[in-house]
Amino acid sequence: MYKTHTCGELRLTDDGKIVKLAGWVHRRRDHGGVTFIDLRDRFGLVQIVLNPEISPEAHQLAESIRMEWVIQVEGVVRKRPEGAENPNLSTGEIEVEVHKLNVLNPAKIPPFLINKDEEADENTRLKYRYLDLRREKMRNNIELRHRVVKFIRDYLDQRGFLEIETPILFKTTPEGARDYLVPSRVHPGEFYALPQSPQQLKQLLMVAGVERYFQIARCFRDEDQRGDRQPEFTQLDLEMSFVEREDVMNLIEDLFIQLVKEVVPQKRILKIPFPRLKYQEAMDRFGKDNPDLRFGMELVNISDLAQQSGFSVFDQAILNGGSVRGINAKGLGDYTRKQIDELTEFVKQFGAKGLAYIAYTSAGEIRSTFAKFLSPQLQQAIFDRMQAEKGDLLLFVADKVEIVYETLGRLRVFLAEKLNLLDPNVLAFCWVIDFPYVVWNEEEKRWDPSHHLFTSPMPEDIPLLDIDPGKARGQQYDLVLNNYEIGGGSIRIHDRQLQEKVFKLIGLDPDVARERFGHMLEAFEYGTPPHGGIAPGIDRICMILAGEPNIREVIAFPKNQAARDVMADAPSPVEEKQLEELHIRVVYPTDSQKS
RNA sequence: GGUCCCGUGGUGUAGCGGCCAAACAUGCGGCCCUGUCAAGGCCGAGAUCGCGGGUUCAAAUCCCGUCGGGACCGCCA
């Protein structure tokens, strides 16, 4: 054994013990006479002392040692001299007096500092990820992730769930995200696809009678990156038989309440039980189906008031079937014209033509883009409805309702960030339910499933599928946390006729449906229990719990925005021989196709 | 496919037409120092400012292009 103890565990009670320690040189303090080294391993830091009077050899050798060298020491645990304790260190009451020092492996000078939390260039961090992971923040994040997953496994195990692995090499499903394809060597011209999620397989496990299944499942989607999206990511994939919507929601809600209590006790859940918002309510109040409930500034509909104003921008919007809504940016009434212009630019990105406002300055003055249409009565009515006080800034968007939602929903979050209203220690979970079952795809002139095509409609809305599909609601539920959708699920269809009806509704050709999903349809005829499930995203959850701005910070070896692993430099070209075996010929894009 | 932002010693930043062959911190090298813990003191090395082109008497600084990175839109059932 290289070590008898870890660097984090020695205490005053170990005083006098002979120990062996091994780890990395975190810092070295050479006083000419005595030399101190903070020795680090994954479990902590401990100060080791090299005294020439104890061991001249060790002290001599320590001269040459540099940061991040891997060393081993043998020595005696000593209580530190009076006044030399370090209260910032859990091992700060003791130190290890070194009798023997062993260099296990020297280290080059690292490209960034391991012992400081100073930001380093992310590209460099990714290239030397193994060094980045030594740093305290990343070590904590990776450990947090372990705690989260461990908690989930234990929690579900105690409740009768089985963790079952499903294939990584599976079948393409072109209706979702773009698939990652894997060519078959033994079947020329045929391909596996990496799963976008184990959706079909977990449903088939329900047909198989598993009843309670989960998996910490890797999922793959070949779409462009975002801070909260990687080409491969991890879901808690879960499915249960003989359950209704409430059953799944209640289980998951309790799981997260307990998880927070155990893994991040310093964080506070805003509301228990989690608020449940109907989709329409979420849109009306927050403009998004993933609302951040940590702050107010809710949208207010003033279409009826705006109608009387005579302000043509408002009239036009309403005449075209749109609406006029606003938010009260509390305390921004003294914003300058320039600052408001900035907000206007912001909403224009998302399709708004402009931003109307009423600034009620702290001095009590009114400034407004539609001042001359603002009769005292109208102004009062708007102020009443929006609870405006001196010092407030009322911001309005008049447009098609989708654009109003989109722009005000984003503006609301944008302002909250600016105003520092987003407390990272508060966890505002909520459920969003009663989603529309299908949404009209204008481009393709067809109905698209708003969740996925195995989702069951609300039983009472099934007749609507024939007469007015847009009005039907799905048995879908999204779990939302602080402005992120962290999981979506639904009660599934377990009846072949209904499933075929849905395929037809969304314009899936029966032959194509049989080819792609024949195994599902057939399975449904062999005694399928009612079932449903959910798939919370582990990366996003860990990101929020760790207070990180993107999921790369909670993934050991993430890819960059261009979907590249910059450490190993993947993807990479392959040998011609490999391509031959796979019956593949590469056709490179020409310059004109590239641009 | 598109929009925006960034690119200065190893790292993080400053400089944003002449005062800059570039400043500060940290790291790195050397010397001094027996109780420090972000040790300290002294000395030193290290960037032609991502790359290419242009404007100008003069470019790290302005413009165009390009490469790299990031944020976002599209996309993500």
Side-chain angles (χ1 to χ4, degrees):
Chain A
M1 284 287 275
Y2 282 98
K3 42 166 106 178
T4 56
H5 295 76
T6 69
C7 294
E9 69 180 304
L10 293 172
R11 295 291 181 274
L12 205 48
T13 48
D14 298 303
D15 189 13
K17 277 189 190 157
I18 296 169
V19 297
K20 281 202 238 176
L21 296 174
W24 288 260
V25 174
H26 192 63
R27 250 187 284 271
R28 191 177 66 111
R29 290 178 294 280
D30 183 352
H31 285 242
V34 68
T35 295
F36 301 98
I37 288 175
D38 290 339
L39 189 66
R40 182 192 77 234
D41 65 14
R42 212 199 80 215
F43 306 94
L45 275 181
V46 64
Q47 172 165 285
I48 62 177
V49 188
L50 293 125
N51 192 324
E53 285 159 20
I54 303 288
S55 167
E57 298 80 17
H59 180 258
Q60 175 75 34
L61 183 55
E63 293 278 298
S64 63
I65 282 175
R66 292 295 178 269
M67 285 200 288
E68 297 307 311
W69 285 32
V70 180
I71 61 170
Q72 182 200 34
V73 297
E74 287 181 47
V76 183
V77 180
R78 299 282 187 214
K79 181 182 187 321
R80 290 198 188 186
E82 204 70 35
E85 301 87 357
N86 184 350
N88 300 321
L89 222 53
S90 60
T91 57
E93 287 188 293
I94 56 95
E95 61 194 8
V96 174
E97 172 191 280
V98 175
H99 291 241
K100 214 173 140 201
L101 171 66
N102 216 343
V103 173
L104 298 177
N105 197 352
K108 296 212 292 190
I109 297 159
F112 46 80
L113 293 181
I114 309 296
N115 60 21
K116 275 200 186 140
D117 216 13
E118 187 172 80
E119 276 305 312
D121 177 63
E122 188 170 5
N123 212 27
T124 312
R125 289 178 55 207
L126 290 179
K127 186 170 172 193
Y128 298 93
R129 191 58 156 184
Y130 43 86
L131 298 180
D132 193 29
L133 291 170
R134 286 185 195 167
R135 307 212 294 176
E136 190 180 9
K137 186 189 82 167
M138 289 306 292
R139 220 167 59 224
N140 289 341
N141 286 357
I142 295 302
E143 179 166 348
L144 170 76
R145 188 177 174 124
H146 164 77
R147 298 275 159 241
V148 167
V149 170
K150 170 83 162 69
F151 178 88
I152 289 171
R153 285 204 159 102
D154 291 346
Y155 182 97
L156 293 173
D157 173 62
Q158 284 160 19
R159 284 158 184 79
F161 284 79
L162 296 184
E163 181 170 12
I164 301 174
E165 292 173 88
T166 54
I168 293 295
L169 299 177
F170 200 53
K171 186 175 163 119
T172 181
T173 50
E175 35 282 308
R178 202 175 288 115
D179 281 321
Y180 278 100
L181 296 177
V182 180
S184 164
R185 175 180 56 82
V186 290
H187 301 286
E190 296 184 21
F191 297 82
Y192 301 97
L194 307 183
Q196 297 176 24
S197 79
Q199 182 61 36
Q200 295 182 35
L201 293 151
K202 68 173 169 176
Q203 289 192 244
L204 293 169
L205 286 172
M206 294 303 104
V207 181
V210 169
E211 294 202 34
R212 292 177 183 209
Y213 145 88
F214 82 98
Q215 179 179 194
I216 305 298
R218 195 66 62 87
C219 305
F220 305 85
R221 295 179 190 176
D222 186 5
E223 297 293 347
D224 287 345
Q225 310 309 294
R226 287 291 184 281
D228 61 353
R229 272 161 40 189
Q230 283 269 309
E232 52 179 307
F233 60 100
T234 306
Q235 286 185 340
L236 160 58
D237 193 52
L238 179 146
E239 198 78 5
M240 304 168 77
S241 292
F242 307 110
V243 289
E244 291 165 328
R245 189 165 79 165
E246 291 296 311
D247 301 315
V248 180
M249 290 167 70
N250 288 337
L251 173 88
I252 293 298
E253 183 162 331
D254 184 62
L255 184 155
F256 277 107
I257 292 168
Q258 302 306 327
L259 184 152
V260 168
K261 206 179 283 180
E262 173 141 341
V263 180
V264 282
Q266 72 280 14
K267 306 242 171 191
R268 181 169 68 83
I269 297 178
L270 186 67
K271 247 185 191 162
I272 297 174
F274 299 169
R276 296 185 180 197
L277 299 171
K278 293 186 173 173
Y279 170 83
Q280 195 53 53
E281 184 190 353
M283 298 305 284
D284 283 336
R285 291 174 58 192
F286 307 103
K288 321 174 90 195
D289 60 7
N290 56 342
D292 196 324
L293 267 42
R294 283 176 293 175
F295 63 102
M297 227 195 292
E298 295 187 15
L299 315 205
V300 179
N301 192 346
I302 61 153
S303 299
D304 54 321
L305 301 174
Q307 214 160 10
Q308 313 156 15
S309 67
F311 182 36
S312 65
V313 172
F314 289 174
D315 291 344
Q316 278 305 313
I318 291 167
L319 219 58
N320 294 332
S323 93
V324 182
R325 295 170 198 232
I327 54 177
N328 181 350
K330 284 243 159 258
L332 298 186
D334 293 324
Y335 250 36
T336 62
R337 179 62 196 271
K338 199 178 156 209
Q339 287 172 303
I340 296 173
D341 282 349
E342 210 178 293
L343 301 180
T344 308
E345 282 313 305
F346 177 79
V347 294
K348 277 184 175 169
Q349 291 177 70
F350 308 106
K353 292 187 264 309
L355 196 58
Y357 65 85
I358 305 175
Y360 190 9
T361 66
S362 50
E365 289 167 63
I366 304 284
R367 288 181 294 130
S368 172
T369 36
F370 52 106
K372 61 178 154 175
F373 303 100
L374 203 56
S375 68
Q377 298 89 318
L378 179 60
Q379 179 184 308
Q380 196 53 50
I382 292 176
F383 278 14
D384 285 349
R385 189 171 298 175
M386 299 187 72
Q387 298 171 7
E389 301 168 315
K390 270 186 198 172
D392 289 355
L393 175 65
L394 309 182
L395 299 159
F396 305 94
V397 173
D399 215 308
K400 286 190 297 191
V401 71
E402 296 79 35
I403 290 183
V404 174
Y405 286 146
E406 171 84 9
T407 52
L408 286 179
R410 286 178 185 272
L411 183 60
R412 178 176 170 271
V413 175
F414 182 71
L415 288 168
E417 277 164 5
K418 254 183 152 42
L419 296 171
N420 240 335
L421 300 177
L422 304 178
D423 183 344
N425 286 315
V426 172
L427 302 173
F429 286 95
C430 71
W431 291 101
V432 179
I433 56 172
D434 286 2
F435 280 79
Y437 186 59
V438 285
V439 290
W440 183 247
N441 182 333
E442 185 56 40
E443 237 166 78
E444 309 278 342
K445 303 282 178 209
R446 60 152 199 249
W447 294 101
D448 282 343
S450 75
H451 186 44
H452 60 58
L453 67 196
F454 303 112
T455 298
S456 173
M458 298 292 275
E460 62 268 33
D461 291 355
I462 290 176
L464 283 172
L465 299 183
D466 294 317
I467 47 178
D468 193 356
K471 286 238 161 58
R473 296 159 301 154
Q475 295 198 58
Q476 180 195 342
Y477 31 85
D478 276 7
L479 182 59
V480 173
L481 169 58
N482 293 6
N483 202 22
Y484 287 95
E485 183 205 316
I486 58 162
S490 65
I491 298 300
R492 328 294 184 186
I493 295 168
H494 62 280
D495 172 83
R496 176 169 184 147
Q497 268 72 44
L498 183 56
Q499 186 67 67
E500 286 186 325
K501 188 187 180 75
V502 168
F503 283 165
K504 204 170 137 205
L505 171 66
I506 63 173
L508 199 61
D509 181 85
D511 289 336
V512 175
R514 208 163 304 120
E515 194 233 317
R516 282 182 200 153
F517 304 113
H519 53 290
M520 296 286 289
L521 293 171
E522 191 180 5
F524 288 166
E525 295 186 307
Y526 282 98
T528 303
H531 62 283
I534 191 168
I538 298 291
D539 312 278
R540 285 187 190 172
I541 290 161
C542 291
M543 167 184 82
I544 297 167
L545 297 184
E548 292 288 358
N550 67 66
I551 62 174
R552 295 187 297 278
E553 302 297 326
V554 294
I555 297 174
F557 298 101
K559 294 182 178 48
N560 72 4
Q561 193 161 55
R564 194 164 268 291
D565 180 318
V566 295
M567 183 180 64
D569 196 25
S572 58
V574 298
E575 300 285 324
E576 192 56 41
K577 184 161 171 286
Q578 291 178 284
L579 290 176
E580 269 171 40
E581 281 182 339
L582 295 168
H583 324 288
I584 284 183
R585 190 168 299 141
V586 178
V587 181
Y588 291 96
T590 62
D591 283 351
S592 61
Q593 279 171 309
K594 267 189 208 160
S595 63

